[in-house]
Each structure stands twice: as C-alpha cells, then as structure tokens.
C-alpha cells in the first residue's frame, strides 16, 4: 500500500483521479487532498476514503471539523499537506500556483504524477537542475506527454516530437472570424471534457503552446512539431533518425493516462474503459499547424530560443487574460492579442530561483492588467 496526496481533487483531473483511486483502495491510501474553494464534495471524499488525515481548503469547513474530529483541516498554506508519510504526489492544480507543489515534491524525493504543465513552462530549468540531486521521478499526467513517454526507446534518442492538437471548435475559423466567438462557444470542446481554464486554453491553442515547453523540458528535444488532428486519437508521435515514427493511440479519456501511470510499468484495465472500435472506418487526419493562424504555437517555439522570462510572461499574461475573459471583461480574440503584446515587450532574462520566478510572475500580471485597462 502506497500513500498518496492529491492536490486539486475538485478539478476535472482531480475528480478522475478520485474515481481511479476508489477502484484501487487495495493498492493506495489517499491520506491527504486539497480542494481550493470548491468544497462541495469534501464530505463524500471523507466518507469514501477513511484513510484521509488532512484536507486543505481555502474555506473554513467548520461543519466538517465537527463531523470528522480526527481529520486535520488546513486553510493557510497548501504545503502543510505534506506530512512525511506520503510516497506519491499527484499535482492536479491548475496554473502557476501548482509550481510550489512540484518543487516541494522534488525536495522531498517523492514520486510525482504531474498534471501541472505550468511548473515546466515557468521553471523547467530549475526543475531539471533540482532533479540532478533528487530521487524524484516525474510522470506526466497529460495525454500528449504520456504518449511520448510510451513511444521512447532507451537505445535511441528521438529526433522529433510530434504533438497533436484537435484544433478545438475554431480550427476552421480565420483570426478575423474568431472576433465573433462568445464565451459559450469557447467552453465547448468537441473531443475532451475539461475544466473551464484548460478548455479556453485549448481553443486559443495556448494549452498546446505550454505542452511544447513541457515536452522540451521533460524529454530534452527541441525539434517539436504540432499537427492538427481533429479526431484526438493519436495523442503524440516520436520520430527517429531512420525515418520511422512511433505513435500512441487511444480513445480520448484522461482516465487512461492517469491509470497508466498509477500502475506503471504494468498495464491494467479500469472501470468503464473505452476501447477503440474498428467496425466503422476511423479517419486519422494529420496536418502541420499554421503558426500564423495559431500564434501561441509560434510564441512557444520562440521561447525555446529565449531565457525563461519569456515563458513565464507567456503563462502569467495568459492566466490573467483567460480569467478576465471568463468574467466577460475582454473578448475571446483579445486573449491572444494582449498576451502577444506583453510577450513581445517583456525582457529576455533567466530567473533561477522560485522567489525570482514568483516576483517576475507577479510583475507580468500587473503589466497585463494595465494592458487590459485595469
């Protein structure tokens, strides 16, 4: 039995982790979790997992403290969930906020199942430097990076990484036509069921931009290509110097990815697993993405040539813009326009410590708000 702490239990990825952990109580003890401000399911978590000893929430859960007196409820510092009994950390937090959990996990030499791509976007060099003296193993809970992981060969370094992107609902729209996109339009993804933030990022293609940077820091390959693939069946491909390409295919379902790494290196099925059906013809369309149409891809590829201040700015400015779009304060097309403005204006410097990265992140957010007009 291995002890697990789940950060971000109330988000989309977190909820799918909960489902799989319920199926595997004979293998894992869920000893702590965080829910941020969404406390609606905390009681059900406590009833499902008697092994829970700590809960983090930004809200004071007085009614639960009375009902579950043996559980420690935390509302100040999310890092207080760590308690020296954990063996596996699942980081399903969204945004820059999740970086602190990634760094703490590496400090403590624990296994990390990571769904927080912003950790690598903003601090990829710092993470890789820390890993040189840490026993931590990081497994990416992301369909694209999980696919690459499965396609790698010990004896042969890849020459090219191919990330696939469905293109979302707006892949056939011009930049001019995206000016008519509403919030309701942007929250509808044709293939994946995701949270609001990542759904918007997928529609603008910033999510894929961040996946480029994560892939670089995870696998050390700069030659990365993004392919439009509307069916979302091929999750990624790896090219080798003999011209061969390996691909990983599956029905789009994040539980498949989480389940793979929970049991790695063995493979097990899971409840309500969806298998590929070949009774009907399955089309697999693949086309290299137009970087002038989907500008965030160009931003990310340029980040590979720059120091990390650029990628920190890319993430921070996007987080602010998406938040303001969700609140109805800016238009959909303005997300990319404002981020591009901030990205082009920011300096090109290397931030080496968490404190330096945090300070720069806050500065970029202020600059982004000024560009929005706040």
């Amino acid at each position: 039995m291995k002890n697990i702490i789940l950060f971000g239990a109330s988000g989309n990825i977190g909820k799918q982790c909960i489902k799989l952990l319920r199926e595997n109580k004979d293998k894992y003890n869920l000893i702590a979790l965080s829910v941020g401000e969404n406390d609606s399911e905390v009681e059900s978590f406590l009833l499902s997992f008697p092994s829970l000893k700590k809960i983090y929430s930004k809200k004071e859960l007085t009614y639960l403290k009375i009902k579950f007196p043996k559980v420690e409820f935390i509302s100040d510092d999310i890092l207080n969930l760590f308690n020296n009994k954990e063996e596996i950390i699942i980081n399903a937090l969204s945004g820059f906020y999740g970086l602190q959990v990634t760094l703490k996990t590496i400090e403590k030499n624990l296994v990390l199942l990571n769904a927080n791509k912003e950790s690598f976007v903003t601090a990829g060099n710092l993470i890789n430097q820390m890993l040189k003296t840490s026993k931590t193993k990081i497994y990416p809970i992301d369909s694209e990076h999980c696919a690459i992981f499965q396609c790698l060969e010990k004896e042969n370094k890849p020459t090219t990484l191919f990330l696939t992107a469905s293109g979302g609902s707006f892949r056939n729209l011009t930049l001019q036509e995206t000016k008519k996109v509403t919030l309701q339009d942007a929250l509808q993804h044709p293939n994946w069921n995701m949270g609001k933030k990542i759904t918007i990022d997928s529609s603008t293609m910033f999510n894929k931009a961040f996946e480029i940077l994560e892939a670089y820091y995870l696998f050390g390959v700069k030659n990365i290509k993004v392919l439009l693939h509307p069916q979302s069946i091929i999750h990624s491909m790896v090219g080798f110097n003999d011209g061969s390409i390996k691909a990983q295919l599956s029905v789009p379902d994040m539980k498949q990815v989480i389940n793979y790494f929970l049991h790695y290196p063995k493979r097990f099925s899971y409840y309500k697993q969806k298998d590929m059906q070949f009774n009907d013809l399955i089309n697999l369309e693949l086309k290299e993405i137009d970087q002038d149409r989907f500008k965030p891809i160009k931003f990310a590829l340029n980040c590979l040539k720059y120091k990390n201040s650029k990628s920190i700015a890319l993430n921070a400015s996007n987080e602010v813009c998406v938040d303001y779009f969700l609140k109805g304060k800016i238009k959909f097309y303005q997300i990319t326009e404002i981020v591009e403005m901030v990205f082009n204006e920011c300096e090109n410097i290397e931030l080496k410590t968490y404190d330096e990265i945090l300070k720069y992140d806050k500065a970029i957010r202020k600059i982004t708000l000024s560009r929005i007009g706040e």
Side-chain angles (χ1 to χ4, degrees):
M1 297 283 282
K2 293 186 177 180
N3 293 331
I4 288 183
I5 297 179
L6 170 58
F7 289 86
S10 57
N12 185 58
I13 297 295
K15 288 178 181 178
Q16 295 184 68
C17 288
I18 289 287
K19 289 178 182 178
L20 288 168
L21 290 173
R22 281 189 176 124
E23 295 176 32
N24 291 276
K25 289 184 180 180
D26 59 327
K27 299 175 183 175
Y28 302 105
N29 283 323
L30 182 60
I31 61 172
L33 58 78
S34 75
V35 294
E37 296 183 355
N38 184 1
D39 64 333
S40 60
E41 296 187 67
V42 173
E43 186 168 3
S44 70
F45 294 158
L46 287 163
L47 293 171
S48 295
F49 299 98
S51 55
L52 278 169
K53 302 301 179 187
K54 287 187 175 184
I55 302 287
Y56 172 85
S57 172
K58 292 181 179 179
K59 296 181 180 179
E60 289 288 340
L61 304 178
T62 307
Y63 68 104
L64 290 176
K65 291 179 182 179
I66 297 171
K67 195 168 185 178
F68 299 91
K70 293 183 179 180
V71 177
E72 181 182 354
F73 291 89
I74 301 166
S75 60
D76 51 1
D77 186 352
I78 196 169
L79 295 183
N80 285 333
L81 279 186
F82 288 91
N83 60 13
N84 296 321
K85 294 182 180 179
E86 63 278 353
E87 297 169 82
I88 299 173
I89 303 300
I90 301 178
N91 187 356
L93 294 172
S94 176
F96 179 80
Y97 183 63
L99 172 59
Q100 59 185 324
V101 171
T102 297
L103 298 181
K104 187 69 172 180
T105 303
I106 298 171
E107 286 178 12
K108 293 175 70 66
N109 298 296
L110 304 171
V111 173
L112 174 63
L113 274 60
N114 184 55
N116 181 256
K117 58 177 62 68
E118 292 86 356
S119 290
F120 282 93
V121 171
T122 60
N125 285 331
L126 174 59
I127 289 170
N128 284 335
Q129 187 64 34
M130 292 175 66
L131 287 173
K132 291 179 180 179
T133 56
S134 172
K135 295 179 181 178
T136 291
K137 292 184 179 179
I138 299 180
Y139 300 114
I141 304 181
D142 193 305
S143 63
E144 289 79 5
H145 303 89
C146 177
I148 292 170
F149 183 92
Q150 294 180 66
C151 291
L152 294 176
E153 299 177 357
K154 289 183 180 179
E155 300 82 4
N156 302 292
K157 185 174 181 178
T159 56
T160 309
L161 302 180
F162 297 93
L163 299 179
T164 59
S166 73
S169 302
F170 314 133
R171 60 177 167 262
N172 296 319
L173 299 185
T174 64
L175 282 175
Q176 183 64 29
E177 289 171 333
T178 63
K179 292 187 176 183
K180 299 178 182 179
V181 170
T182 65
L183 175 58
Q184 185 176 2
D185 295 333
L187 288 174
Q188 304 299 316
H189 194 283
N191 299 338
W192 293 92
N193 177 25
M194 305 178 291
K196 290 182 179 180
K197 166 66 164 58
I198 194 171
T199 300
I200 301 303
D201 283 347
S202 295
S203 63
T204 58
M205 209 60 77
F206 272 104
N207 186 56
K208 199 59 52 179
F210 298 148
E211 287 175 2
I212 290 171
L213 295 168
E214 184 181 9
Y216 167 66
Y217 288 114
L218 278 170
F219 306 113
V221 178
K222 274 193 175 182
N223 188 21
I224 301 172
K225 297 184 183 297
V226 178
L227 306 177
L228 275 179
H229 172 51
Q231 294 80 18
S232 294
I233 290 174
I234 299 174
H235 299 298
S236 277
M237 302 187 293
V238 174
F240 297 93
N241 62 6
D242 63 350
S244 63
I245 297 176
K246 292 173 68 175
Q248 187 267 337
L249 289 72
S250 65
V251 173
D253 184 354
M254 279 306 300
K255 288 197 293 296
Q256 190 272 334
V257 177
I258 300 165
N259 186 68
Y260 173 76
F261 280 126
L262 273 178
H263 296 98
Y264 179 79
K266 295 184 177 181
R267 293 180 185 267
F268 290 90
S269 61
Y270 55 93
Y271 181 61
K272 290 188 177 180
Q273 176 177 305
K274 298 176 182 178
D275 296 327
M276 296 282 290
Q277 300 296 320
F278 294 99
N279 292 329
D280 299 318
L281 176 66
I282 295 178
N283 292 314
L284 300 176
E285 303 169 66
L286 292 163
K287 181 182 180 181
E288 195 156 349
I289 202 162
D290 180 353
Q291 295 180 31
D292 291 324
R293 162 61 182 88
F294 297 103
K295 291 185 176 182
I297 303 302
K298 183 184 292 184
F299 303 158
L301 292 174
N302 283 337
C303 280
L304 299 181
K305 308 170 188 175
Y306 296 136
K307 300 185 187 301
N308 70 342
S309 61
K310 287 289 189 178
S311 53
I312 294 167
L314 198 67
N315 178 72
S317 185
N318 179 66
E319 284 191 18
V320 172
C321 288
V322 171
D323 180 53
Y324 270 65
F325 172 62
L326 289 171
K327 291 176 179 176
K329 294 185 177 181
I330 64 172
K331 302 293 185 182
F332 176 79
Y333 73 92
Q334 289 181 289
I335 297 174
T336 301
E337 285 191 354
I338 294 169
V339 174
E340 181 176 21
M341 189 186 309
V342 175
F343 178 74
N344 289 335
E345 292 174 354
C346 76
E347 35 190 353
N348 180 29
I349 56 175
E350 187 70 22
L351 291 311
K352 296 182 178 181
T353 68
Y354 174 72
D355 288 340
E356 289 175 350
I357 292 169
L358 178 61
K359 183 178 179 181
Y360 196 76
D361 172 89
K362 289 180 178 179
I364 291 296
R365 291 171 192 269
K366 289 181 180 179
I367 292 170
T368 304
L369 288 173
S370 69
R371 296 295 179 269
I372 291 172
E374 290 292 317

